[in-house]
Coordinates of all heavy atoms in Angstrom, one line a residue:
S1464 N 22.7 19.4 5.5 CA 21.8 18.4 5.9 C 20.9 18.0 4.7 O 20.7 18.9 3.8 CB 21.0 18.8 7.1 OG 19.9 19.7 6.7
Y1465 N 20.4 16.8 4.7 CA 19.6 16.3 3.5 C 18.2 15.9 4.0 O 18.0 15.4 5.0 CB 20.3 15.0 3.0 CG 19.5 14.3 2.0 CD1 19.3 14.8 0.7 CD2 18.7 13.2 2.3 CE1 18.5 14.2 -0.3 CE2 18.0 12.5 1.4 CZ 17.9 13.0 0.1 OH 17.1 12.4 -0.8
S1466 N 17.3 16.3 3.2 CA 15.9 16.0 3.4 C 15.3 15.4 2.1 O 15.3 16.1 1.1 CB 15.1 17.3 3.9 OG 13.8 16.9 4.1
A1467 N 14.8 14.2 2.2 CA 14.3 13.5 1.0 C 12.9 14.2 0.7 O 12.2 14.6 1.5 CB 14.1 12.1 1.3
D1468 N 12.7 14.2 -0.6 CA 11.4 14.7 -1.2 C 10.5 13.5 -1.3 O 10.7 12.6 -2.1 CB 11.6 15.3 -2.6 CG 10.3 15.8 -3.2 OD1 9.3 16.1 -2.4 OD2 10.2 15.7 -4.4
V1469 N 9.5 13.4 -0.4 CA 8.6 12.2 -0.3 C 7.2 12.7 -0.6 O 6.7 13.7 0.0 CB 8.6 11.6 1.1 CG1 7.7 10.4 1.2 CG2 10.0 11.2 1.5
Q1470 N 6.6 12.0 -1.6 CA 5.2 12.3 -1.9 C 4.4 11.0 -2.0 O 5.0 10.0 -2.5 CB 5.1 12.9 -3.3 CG 5.8 14.3 -3.3 CD 5.8 15.0 -4.7 OE1 5.1 14.5 -5.6 NE2 6.5 16.1 -4.8
I1471 N 3.2 10.9 -1.4 CA 2.4 9.8 -1.4 C 1.0 10.1 -1.9 O 0.4 11.1 -1.5 CB 2.3 9.1 -0.1 CG1 3.7 9.0 0.6 CG2 1.5 7.8 -0.1 CD1 3.6 8.6 2.1
F1472 N 0.5 9.3 -2.9 CA -0.9 9.6 -3.4 C -1.7 8.3 -3.4 O -1.1 7.2 -3.6 CB -0.8 10.1 -4.8 CG -0.2 11.5 -4.9 CD1 1.1 11.7 -5.1 CD2 -1.0 12.6 -4.8 CE1 1.7 13.0 -5.2 CE2 -0.5 13.9 -4.8 CZ 0.8 14.1 -5.0
L1473 N -3.0 8.4 -3.3 CA -3.9 7.3 -3.4 C -4.7 7.6 -4.7 O -5.4 8.6 -4.8 CB -4.8 7.2 -2.2 CG -5.9 6.1 -2.3 CD1 -5.2 4.7 -2.2 CD2 -6.9 6.3 -1.3
R1474 N -4.6 6.7 -5.7 CA -5.3 6.9 -6.9 C -6.6 6.1 -6.8 O -6.6 4.9 -6.7 CB -4.5 6.5 -8.2 CG -5.3 6.6 -9.5 CD -4.5 6.5 -10.7 NE -3.8 7.7 -10.9 CZ -4.0 8.6 -11.9 NH1 -4.9 8.3 -12.8 NH2 -3.3 9.7 -12.0
V1475 N -7.7 6.8 -6.9 CA -9.1 6.2 -6.8 C -9.9 6.7 -8.0 O -10.1 7.9 -8.1 CB -9.8 6.6 -5.5 CG1 -11.1 5.9 -5.4 CG2 -8.9 6.2 -4.3
N1476 N -10.3 5.8 -8.8 CA -11.1 6.1 -10.0 C -10.6 7.3 -10.8 O -11.3 8.2 -11.2 CB -12.6 6.4 -9.6 CG -13.3 5.2 -9.1 OD1 -13.0 4.1 -9.5 ND2 -14.3 5.4 -8.2
G1477 N -9.3 7.3 -11.0 CA -8.6 8.3 -11.9 C -8.2 9.6 -11.1 O -7.6 10.5 -11.7
Y1478 N -8.6 9.7 -9.9 CA -8.2 10.9 -9.1 C -7.1 10.5 -8.1 O -7.1 9.5 -7.5 CB -9.4 11.4 -8.3 CG -10.5 11.9 -9.1 CD1 -11.6 11.1 -9.4 CD2 -10.5 13.2 -9.6 CE1 -12.6 11.6 -10.2 CE2 -11.5 13.7 -10.4 CZ -12.6 12.9 -10.7 OH -13.6 13.3 -11.5
D1479 N -6.1 11.4 -8.0 CA -5.0 11.3 -7.1 C -5.2 12.1 -5.8 O -5.3 13.3 -5.9 CB -3.7 11.8 -7.7 CG -3.1 10.8 -8.8 OD1 -3.3 9.6 -8.6 OD2 -2.5 11.3 -9.7
L1480 N -5.4 11.4 -4.7 CA -5.6 12.0 -3.4 C -4.4 12.0 -2.6 O -3.8 11.0 -2.4 CB -6.7 11.3 -2.7 CG -8.1 11.1 -3.4 CD1 -9.0 10.2 -2.6 CD2 -8.7 12.4 -3.7
P1481 N -3.9 13.2 -2.2 CA -2.7 13.3 -1.4 C -2.8 12.6 0.0 O -3.8 12.7 0.7 CB -2.4 14.8 -1.1 CG -3.3 15.5 -2.1 CD -4.5 14.5 -2.4
V1482 N -1.8 11.8 0.3 CA -1.8 11.0 1.6 C -0.9 11.8 2.6 O 0.3 12.1 2.3 CB -1.3 9.6 1.3 CG1 -1.1 8.8 2.7 CG2 -2.2 8.8 0.4
A1483 N -1.4 12.0 3.8 CA -0.7 12.7 4.8 C 0.2 11.7 5.6 O 1.3 12.0 6.1 CB -1.6 13.4 5.8
Q1484 N -0.3 10.4 5.8 CA 0.4 9.4 6.6 C 0.0 8.1 6.0 O -1.1 7.8 5.7 CB -0.1 9.5 8.0 CG 0.6 8.6 8.9 CD 0.2 8.7 10.4 OE1 -0.6 9.6 10.7 NE2 0.6 7.9 11.3
L1485 N 1.0 7.2 6.0 CA 0.9 5.8 5.5 C 1.4 4.9 6.6 O 2.6 5.0 7.0 CB 1.6 5.6 4.2 CG 1.5 4.2 3.5 CD1 0.1 3.8 3.2 CD2 2.4 4.2 2.3
G1486 N 0.6 4.0 7.0 CA 1.0 3.1 8.1 C 0.6 1.6 7.8 O 0.0 1.4 6.7
P1487 N 1.0 0.7 8.6 CA 0.6 -0.7 8.3 C -0.9 -0.9 8.5 O -1.5 -0.7 9.5 CB 1.3 -1.5 9.4 CG 1.6 -0.5 10.5 CD 1.7 0.8 9.8
G1488 N -1.6 -1.1 7.3 CA -3.0 -1.3 7.3 C -3.9 -0.1 7.3 O -5.1 -0.2 7.4
F1489 N -3.3 1.1 7.2 CA -4.1 2.3 7.1 C -3.4 3.4 6.4 O -2.2 3.3 6.2 CB -4.5 2.7 8.5 CG -3.4 3.4 9.2 CD1 -3.2 4.8 9.2 CD2 -2.4 2.7 10.0 CE1 -2.1 5.4 9.9 CE2 -1.4 3.3 10.7 CZ -1.2 4.7 10.6
L1490 N -4.2 4.4 6.0 CA -3.6 5.7 5.5 C -4.4 6.8 6.0 O -5.6 6.6 6.4 CB -3.4 5.7 4.0 CG -4.6 5.4 3.1 CD1 -5.5 6.6 3.0 CD2 -4.1 5.0 1.7
V1491 N -3.9 8.0 6.0 CA -4.6 9.2 6.4 C -4.5 10.1 5.2 O -3.4 10.5 4.7 CB -4.0 9.9 7.6 CG1 -4.8 11.2 7.9 CG2 -4.1 8.9 8.8
L1492 N -5.7 10.5 4.6 CA -5.7 11.4 3.5 C -5.7 12.9 3.9 O -6.2 13.2 5.0 CB -6.9 11.2 2.6 CG -7.0 9.8 2.0 CD1 -8.4 9.6 1.4 CD2 -5.9 9.7 0.9
R1493 N -5.0 13.7 3.2 CA -5.0 15.2 3.5 C -6.4 15.7 3.4 O -6.8 16.6 4.2 CB -4.0 15.9 2.6 CG -2.6 15.5 2.9 CD -1.6 16.5 2.1 NE -0.3 16.0 2.2 CZ 0.5 16.2 3.3 NH1 0.1 16.8 4.3 NH2 1.7 15.7 3.3
N1494 N -7.1 15.4 2.3 CA -8.5 15.9 2.1 C -9.4 14.8 1.7 O -9.6 14.5 0.5 CB -8.4 16.9 0.9 CG -7.5 18.1 1.2 OD1 -7.6 18.8 2.2 ND2 -6.5 18.2 0.3
P1495 N -9.9 14.0 2.7 CA -10.7 12.9 2.4 C -12.1 13.2 1.8 O -12.6 14.3 2.0 CB -10.9 12.2 3.8 CG -10.7 13.3 4.8 CD -9.8 14.3 4.1
V1496 N -12.5 12.3 0.9 CA -13.8 12.4 0.3 C -14.5 11.1 0.6 O -13.9 10.1 0.7 CB -13.7 12.6 -1.2 CG1 -13.1 14.0 -1.5 CG2 -13.0 11.5 -1.9
D1497 N -15.9 11.1 0.7 CA -16.6 9.9 0.8 C -16.5 9.0 -0.4 O -16.7 9.5 -1.5 CB -18.0 10.1 1.2 CG -18.2 10.6 2.6 OD1 -17.6 10.1 3.5 OD2 -19.1 11.6 2.8
H1498 N -16.2 7.7 -0.2 CA -16.1 6.8 -1.4 C -16.3 5.4 -0.9 O -15.8 5.0 0.2 CB -14.7 6.9 -2.0 CG -14.7 6.3 -3.4 ND1 -14.6 5.0 -3.6 CD2 -14.7 6.9 -4.6 CE1 -14.6 4.8 -4.9 NE2 -14.7 5.9 -5.5
P1499 N -17.1 4.6 -1.6 CA -17.3 3.2 -1.2 C -16.1 2.3 -1.3 O -15.1 2.7 -2.0 CB -18.4 2.7 -2.1 CG -18.3 3.5 -3.3 CD -17.7 4.9 -2.9
P1500 N -16.1 1.1 -0.7 CA -15.0 0.2 -0.8 C -14.7 -0.1 -2.2 O -15.6 -0.2 -3.1 CB -15.5 -1.0 -0.1 CG -16.5 -0.5 0.9 CD -17.2 0.6 0.2
C1501 N -13.4 -0.2 -2.6 CA -12.9 -0.5 -3.9 C -11.4 -0.8 -3.9 O -10.8 -0.6 -2.9 CB -13.3 0.7 -4.9 SG -12.3 2.2 -4.5
A1502 N -10.9 -1.1 -5.1 CA -9.5 -1.2 -5.3 C -8.9 0.2 -5.6 O -9.6 1.0 -6.2 CB -9.2 -2.2 -6.4
A1503 N -7.7 0.4 -5.2 CA -7.1 1.7 -5.4 C -5.6 1.5 -5.5 O -5.1 0.4 -5.2 CB -7.4 2.7 -4.3
E1504 N -4.8 2.5 -6.0 CA -3.4 2.3 -6.1 C -2.7 3.4 -5.3 O -3.0 4.6 -5.3 CB -3.0 2.5 -7.6 CG -1.5 2.3 -7.9 CD -1.2 2.4 -9.3 OE1 -1.5 3.5 -9.9 OE2 -0.6 1.5 -9.9
I1505 N -1.6 2.9 -4.6 CA -0.8 3.9 -3.8 C 0.5 4.1 -4.6 O 1.0 3.2 -5.2 CB -0.4 3.3 -2.4 CG1 -1.7 3.2 -1.6 CG2 0.7 4.2 -1.8 CD1 -1.5 2.6 -0.2
T1506 N 0.8 5.4 -4.7 CA 2.1 5.8 -5.4 C 3.0 6.4 -4.3 O 2.5 7.4 -3.7 CB 1.9 6.8 -6.5 OG1 1.0 6.2 -7.5 CG2 3.2 7.2 -7.2
L1507 N 4.2 5.9 -4.1 CA 5.1 6.4 -3.1 C 6.3 6.9 -3.9 O 6.9 6.1 -4.7 CB 5.5 5.4 -2.1 CG 6.7 5.7 -1.2 CD1 6.3 6.9 -0.3 CD2 7.1 4.5 -0.4
S1508 N 6.6 8.2 -3.9 CA 7.8 8.8 -4.6 C 8.8 9.3 -3.6 O 8.4 10.2 -2.8 CB 7.3 9.9 -5.5 OG 8.4 10.5 -6.1
I1509 N 10.0 8.8 -3.7 CA 11.1 9.3 -2.8 C 12.2 9.8 -3.7 O 12.7 9.0 -4.5 CB 11.6 8.2 -1.9 CG1 10.5 7.7 -1.0 CG2 12.8 8.8 -1.0 CD1 10.8 6.5 -0.1
D1510 N 12.4 11.1 -3.7 CA 13.4 11.8 -4.6 C 13.2 11.4 -6.0 O 14.1 11.2 -6.8 CB 14.8 11.4 -4.1 CG 15.1 12.1 -2.8 OD1 14.5 13.1 -2.4 OD2 16.0 11.6 -2.1
G1511 N 11.9 11.3 -6.5 CA 11.6 11.1 -7.8 C 11.5 9.6 -8.2 O 11.1 9.3 -9.3
E1512 N 11.9 8.7 -7.3 CA 11.8 7.2 -7.6 C 10.5 6.7 -7.1 O 10.3 6.8 -5.9 CB 13.0 6.5 -7.0 CG 13.1 5.1 -7.4 CD 14.4 4.4 -7.0 OE1 15.4 5.1 -7.0 OE2 14.3 3.2 -6.8
E1513 N 9.7 6.2 -8.0 CA 8.3 5.8 -7.7 C 8.2 4.3 -7.5 O 8.8 3.5 -8.1 CB 7.4 6.2 -8.8 CG 7.0 7.6 -8.8 CD 5.9 7.9 -9.7 OE1 5.4 7.0 -10.4 OE2 5.5 9.1 -9.8
K1514 N 7.3 4.0 -6.5 CA 6.9 2.6 -6.3 C 5.4 2.7 -6.2 O 4.8 3.6 -5.7 CB 7.4 2.0 -5.0 CG 8.9 1.8 -5.0 CD 9.4 1.1 -3.8 CE 10.9 0.9 -3.9 NZ 11.5 0.2 -2.8
R1515 N 4.7 1.7 -6.9 CA 3.2 1.6 -6.9 C 2.8 0.2 -6.4 O 3.4 -0.7 -6.8 CB 2.7 1.9 -8.3 CG 3.0 3.3 -8.8 CD 2.7 3.4 -10.3 NE 3.0 4.7 -10.8 CZ 2.2 5.7 -11.0 NH1 0.9 5.6 -10.7 NH2 2.6 6.9 -11.4
W1516 N 1.6 0.2 -5.7 CA 1.0 -1.1 -5.4 C -0.4 -0.9 -5.2 O -0.9 0.2 -4.9 CB 1.7 -1.7 -4.2 CG 1.6 -1.0 -2.9 CD1 0.6 -1.2 -2.0 CD2 2.5 0.1 -2.5 NE1 0.9 -0.3 -0.9 CE2 2.0 0.5 -1.2 CE3 3.6 0.7 -2.9 CZ2 2.6 1.5 -0.4 CZ3 4.2 1.7 -2.2 CH2 3.7 2.1 -1.0
M1517 N -1.2 -2.0 -5.5 CA -2.6 -2.0 -5.3 C -3.0 -2.3 -3.9 O -2.4 -3.1 -3.3 CB -3.3 -3.0 -6.3 CG -3.0 -2.7 -7.8 SD -3.7 -1.1 -8.3 CE -5.4 -1.4 -8.1
V1518 N -4.1 -1.6 -3.5 CA -4.7 -1.9 -2.2 C -6.2 -2.0 -2.3 O -6.8 -1.5 -3.3 CB -4.3 -0.8 -1.1 CG1 -2.8 -0.8 -0.8 CG2 -4.8 0.6 -1.6
H1519 N -6.8 -2.5 -1.3 CA -8.3 -2.5 -1.2 C -8.7 -1.6 -0.1 O -8.1 -1.7 1.0 CB -8.8 -3.9 -1.0 CG -10.3 -4.0 -1.0 ND1 -11.1 -3.8 -2.1 CD2 -11.2 -4.2 0.1 CE1 -12.4 -3.9 -1.7 NE2 -12.4 -4.1 -0.4
L1520 N -9.6 -0.7 -0.4 CA -10.2 0.2 0.7 C -11.2 -0.6 1.4 O -12.4 -0.7 0.9 CB -10.7 1.5 0.1 CG -9.7 2.3 -0.8 CD1 -10.4 3.5 -1.4 CD2 -8.5 2.7 0.0
I1521 N -10.9 -1.2 2.5 CA -11.8 -2.2 3.2 C -13.2 -1.6 3.5 O -14.2 -2.2 3.2 CB -11.1 -2.7 4.5 CG1 -9.8 -3.4 4.1 CG2 -12.0 -3.6 5.2 CD1 -8.9 -3.7 5.3
K1522 N -13.2 -0.5 4.1 CA -14.5 0.2 4.4 C -14.7 1.4 3.6 O -15.6 2.3 4.0 CB -14.5 0.5 5.9 CG -14.4 -0.7 6.8 CD -14.5 -0.3 8.3 CE -14.5 -1.6 9.2 NZ -14.5 -1.2 10.6
G1523 N -14.0 1.6 2.5 CA -14.1 2.8 1.7 C -13.4 4.0 2.4 O -12.7 3.8 3.4
I1524 N -13.7 5.2 1.9 CA -13.2 6.4 2.5 C -14.4 7.1 3.2 O -15.4 7.2 2.5 CB -12.5 7.3 1.5 CG1 -11.4 6.6 0.7 CG2 -12.0 8.6 2.1 CD1 -10.9 7.3 -0.5
Q1525 N -14.2 7.5 4.4 CA -15.2 8.3 5.1 C -14.6 9.6 5.6 O -13.6 9.6 6.4 CB -15.8 7.4 6.3 CG -16.4 6.1 5.7 CD -16.7 5.1 6.9 OE1 -16.5 5.5 8.0 NE2 -17.1 4.0 6.5
V1526 N -15.2 10.7 5.2 CA -14.7 12.0 5.6 C -14.6 12.1 7.1 O -13.6 12.7 7.6 CB -15.7 13.1 5.1 CG1 -15.3 14.5 5.6 CG2 -15.6 13.1 3.5
E1527 N -15.5 11.6 7.9 CA -15.5 11.8 9.3 C -14.5 10.9 10.1 O -14.3 11.0 11.3 CB -16.9 11.5 9.9 CG -17.4 10.1 9.8 CD -18.1 9.8 8.5 OE1 -18.2 10.6 7.6 OE2 -18.5 8.6 8.3
R1528 N -13.9 9.9 9.4 CA -12.9 9.1 10.0 C -11.5 9.5 9.6 O -11.2 9.7 8.5 CB -13.1 7.6 9.6 CG -14.3 7.1 10.0 CD -14.4 5.6 9.8 NE -15.3 5.0 10.8 CZ -15.0 3.9 11.5 NH1 -13.9 3.3 11.3 NH2 -15.8 3.5 12.4
R1529 N -10.6 9.6 10.6 CA -9.2 10.1 10.3 C -8.5 9.0 9.5 O -7.8 9.3 8.5 CB -8.5 10.3 11.7 CG -7.1 10.7 11.5 CD -6.6 11.2 12.8 NE -5.1 11.2 12.9 CZ -4.3 12.0 12.2 NH1 -4.8 12.9 11.4 NH2 -3.0 11.9 12.3
K1530 N -8.6 7.7 9.9 CA -7.8 6.7 9.2 C -8.7 5.9 8.2 O -9.9 5.7 8.5 CB -7.3 5.7 10.2 CG -6.2 6.3 11.1 CD -5.6 5.2 12.0 CE -4.5 5.8 12.9 NZ -4.0 4.8 13.8
T1531 N -8.2 5.6 7.1 CA -8.8 4.7 6.1 C -8.1 3.4 6.1 O -6.9 3.3 5.9 CB -8.7 5.4 4.7 OG1 -9.4 6.6 4.7 CG2 -9.3 4.5 3.6
Q1532 N -8.8 2.3 6.4 CA -8.3 1.0 6.4 C -8.0 0.5 5.0 O -8.8 0.6 4.1 CB -9.2 0.0 7.1 CG -9.3 0.2 8.6 CD -10.3 -0.8 9.2 OE1 -11.4 -1.1 8.8 NE2 -9.7 -1.5 10.2
I1533 N -6.7 -0.1 4.9 CA -6.4 -0.7 3.6 C -5.8 -2.1 3.8 O -5.4 -2.4 4.8 CB -5.3 0.2 2.9 CG1 -4.0 0.4 3.7 CG2 -5.9 1.5 2.4 CD1 -2.9 1.1 3.0
A1534 N -5.9 -2.9 2.7 CA -5.3 -4.2 2.7 C -4.6 -4.3 1.3 O -5.2 -3.9 0.3 CB -6.3 -5.3 2.9
R1535 N -3.4 -4.8 1.3 CA -2.7 -5.0 0.0 C -3.4 -6.0 -0.8 O -3.7 -7.1 -0.3 CB -1.2 -5.4 0.3 CG -0.4 -5.4 -1.0 CD 1.0 -5.0 -0.7 NE 1.7 -4.9 -1.9 CZ 2.9 -4.5 -2.1 NH1 3.6 -4.1 -1.0 NH2 3.5 -4.4 -3.2
C1536 N -3.5 -5.7 -2.1 CA -4.1 -6.7 -3.1 C -3.0 -7.7 -3.5 O -1.9 -7.2 -3.8 CB -4.6 -6.0 -4.3 SG -6.1 -5.0 -4.0
L1537 N -3.3 -8.9 -3.3 CA -2.3 -9.9 -3.6 C -1.9 -10.0 -5.1 O -0.9 -10.5 -5.5 CB -2.7 -11.3 -3.1 CG -2.9 -11.4 -1.6 CD1 -3.4 -12.7 -1.2 CD2 -1.6 -11.0 -0.9
D1538 N -2.9 -9.7 -6.0 CA -2.7 -9.8 -7.4 C -2.1 -8.5 -8.0 O -2.1 -8.4 -9.2 CB -3.9 -10.2 -8.1 CG -5.1 -9.3 -7.9 OD1 -5.0 -8.4 -7.1 OD2 -6.1 -9.4 -8.6
G1539 N -1.8 -7.5 -7.3 CA -1.4 -6.2 -7.8 C -0.2 -5.7 -7.1 O 0.3 -4.9 -6.7

């Protein structure tokens, strides 16, 4: 049987935060930290092949919230 190696990170101000779940319009961080709204980059790696795209953290990151709302940046 085959199991893909999948890794997802959110890069915010030079820090890579591991993502536990990525869905349409949201993500769940493994270890959230409080951070105000800003642009950030998602890196999705599947078996070593990476894709990156820019998102906007609509309401920022809040430790007490499970989901972080995101919107894809049209220029990135």
Side-chain angles (χ1 to χ4, degrees):
S1464 78
Y1465 171 77
S1466 180
D1468 177 30
V1469 178
Q1470 297 179 9
I1471 310 170
F1472 292 93
L1473 178 70
R1474 179 168 280 252
V1475 181
N1476 291 333
Y1478 293 97
D1479 287 327
L1480 305 174
V1482 175
Q1484 182 180 356
L1485 179 61
F1489 76 93
L1490 56 78
V1491 176
L1492 295 170
R1493 291 191 188 279
N1494 303 300
V1496 296
D1497 286 320
H1498 197 283
C1501 67
E1504 182 180 57
I1505 293 178
T1506 301
L1507 171 64
S1508 174
I1509 301 174
D1510 291 335
E1512 188 168 328
E1513 284 188 359
K1514 293 186 180 185
R1515 296 172 184 256
W1516 63 94
M1517 297 299 296
V1518 295
H1519 182 70
L1520 304 178
I1521 298 169
K1522 295 182 179 178
I1524 303 169
Q1525 300 170 4
V1526 172
E1527 67 275 0
R1528 293 188 155 228
R1529 178 167 161 73
K1530 292 182 179 178
T1531 297
Q1532 289 183 306
I1533 59 172
R1535 189 151 185 171
C1536 292
L1537 298 178
D1538 60 349

